[in-house]
Amino acid sequence: MTIKEVSEKYGITQDTLRYYERVGMIPTVSRTAGGIRNYNETDLSWVELAICMRSAGLPVEAMIEYVKLYQMGDSTFAARLQLLQAQREILLEQKKQVEATIDRLNYKIARYQLAVETGKLSWDKE
Amino acid sequence: MTIKEVSEKYGITQDTLRYYERVGMIPTVSRTAGGIRNYNETDLSWVELAICMRSAGLPVEAMIEYVKLYQMGDSTFAARLQLLQAQREILLEQKKQVEATIDRLNYKIARYQLAVETGKLSWDKE
DNA sequence: TCTTGACTTCGAGCGTACTCCAAGTATTAC
DNA sequence: GTAATACTTGGAGTACGCTCGAAGTCAAGA
């Protein structure tokens, strides 16, 4: 699969794909004889993982660390486990924050819906 | 309440508090006769709102826009409502992403827990 | 009154994560 | 073979959200 196809498949620019590879967020992608990227199944699953992590807001650095451990082989299982657990903790916290903010927005939205109807905002600040 | 007290109350630096005010993410904070920030109830509720939005990952720009509309008065109720709804949409999407990534991490963590015990990672890639 | 430490503004600097550009190589269509 | 297009690397540039530094002002205690 060419870089163009991959970029279209995942809705991410080719520049970003090259960037991910360059900084080590995914392992080096396989190439054609001419040196052109030719993503195989494994490459794609790394890309997918990277996109998943990034779109949840996890730092690039964490993925780089994970890839490094992966490349060091079976002796890093425990370290990888620890890394994944730490990232999960961050996300659980993040989820809480997002939910709290959604609640807050819901409250404000309800008040503004009333305000738009009546022309007056009920008792308040901000 | 002084800027120092506010920064300690919310676990945010004084620099950040000044930055939020400077860029218009919160309205101008009240001052003492000497020009020193003296946060009142209303100022605090703005700070709290700003922190809530930011910690959920919403852009500074959205809060600036909201404050601008607020300062334009009652004629902007509908616009404010729309802005809040748009931000909520973003957060609902963000929440989905975070949950998907947590699920993925949970799966990987389970596999690595087994791997740490057995010394072998079950059938796979990344 | 003087000193000390916290406050002020303004502008510059930094870290993260891309994003773009230049110069060159590879592949495809004719 | 040649043109057009897509790819390559390396490095520079950008956007966002702070974060820091400099130079000066303010306020509480000795």
Side-chain angles (χ1 to χ4, degrees), chain B residues 6-76:
Chain B
V6 176
S7 83
E8 282 163 0
K9 181 173 166 74
Y10 294 109
I12 181 179
T13 69
Q14 299 179 30
D15 270 324
T16 301
L17 281 166
R18 291 194 201 96
Y19 167 75
Y20 281 176
E21 187 177 347
R22 180 163 36 137
V23 299
M25 209 175 140
I26 59 174
T28 306
V29 170
S30 33
R31 312 284 157 125
T32 63
I36 289 181
R37 284 177 184 78
N38 184 25
Y39 292 77
N40 62 27
E41 275 303 305
T42 305
D43 297 328
L44 286 182
S45 78
W46 277 106
V47 168
E48 215 176 290
L49 178 64
I51 291 173
C52 186
M53 299 295 140
R54 284 297 303 129
S55 64
L58 290 177
V60 164
E61 192 54 36
M63 264 305 283
I64 293 175
E65 193 57 31
Y66 181 73
V67 169
K68 269 189 199 152
L69 291 171
Y70 172 83
Q71 289 174 331
M72 290 168 72
D74 294 5
S75 65
T76 64

Side-chain angles (χ1 to χ4, degrees), chain A residues 60-75:
Chain A
V60 165
E61 192 55 37
M63 264 305 283
I64 293 174
E65 192 57 31
Y66 180 73
V67 170
K68 269 188 198 152
L69 290 171
Y70 172 83
Q71 290 174 331
M72 289 169 71
D74 293 5
S75 65

Side-chain angles (χ1 to χ4, degrees), chain A residues 45-46 52 55-56 66 77 80 84-85 88 91 95 97-99 101 106 108-109 112-113 119 126, chain B residues 45-46 52 55-56 66 77 80 84-85 88 91 95 97-99 101 106 108-109 112-113 119 126:
Chain A
S45 77
W46 276 107
C52 185
S55 65
Y66 180 73
F77 284 163
R80 280 186 255 173
L84 296 174
Q85 284 172 330
R88 179 175 60 181
L91 287 189
K95 185 182 162 188
Q97 261 307 323
V98 168
E99 282 169 348
T101 306
N106 278 336
K108 292 178 88 67
I109 285 167
Y112 273 110
Q113 271 166 343
E126 25 83 21
Chain B
S45 78
W46 277 106
C52 186
S55 64
Y66 181 73
F77 285 163
R80 280 185 255 172
L84 296 173
Q85 284 172 329
R88 180 175 59 181
L91 288 189
K95 186 182 161 187
Q97 261 307 322
V98 169
E99 282 169 348
T101 307
N106 278 336
K108 292 178 87 68
I109 285 167
Y112 273 110
Q113 272 166 342
E126 26 84 19

Side-chain angles (χ1 to χ4, degrees), chain A residues 12-69:
Chain A
I12 183 179
T13 68
Q14 299 181 28
D15 269 323
T16 300
L17 282 166
R18 291 193 201 97
Y19 167 74
Y20 283 176
E21 186 177 347
R22 179 160 39 136
V23 299
M25 209 176 140
I26 60 174
T28 305
V29 170
S30 33
R31 312 284 157 125
T32 63
I36 289 182
R37 284 176 184 79
N38 184 24
Y39 293 77
N40 62 27
E41 274 304 304
T42 305
D43 297 328
L44 285 182
S45 77
W46 276 107
V47 168
E48 216 177 288
L49 179 64
I51 290 172
C52 185
M53 299 294 141
R54 285 297 304 129
S55 65
L58 290 177
V60 165
E61 192 55 37
M63 264 305 283
I64 293 174
E65 192 57 31
Y66 180 73
V67 170
K68 269 188 198 152
L69 290 171

Side-chain angles (χ1 to χ4, degrees), chain A residues 86-108:
Chain A
Q87 300 310 306
R88 179 175 60 181
E89 279 315 302
I90 292 171
L91 287 189
L92 288 170
E93 190 48 48
Q94 178 64 12
K95 185 182 162 188
K96 260 195 218 159
Q97 261 307 323
V98 168
E99 282 169 348
T101 306
I102 288 173
D103 284 349
R104 189 157 189 160
L105 284 175
N106 278 336
Y107 173 72
K108 292 178 88 67

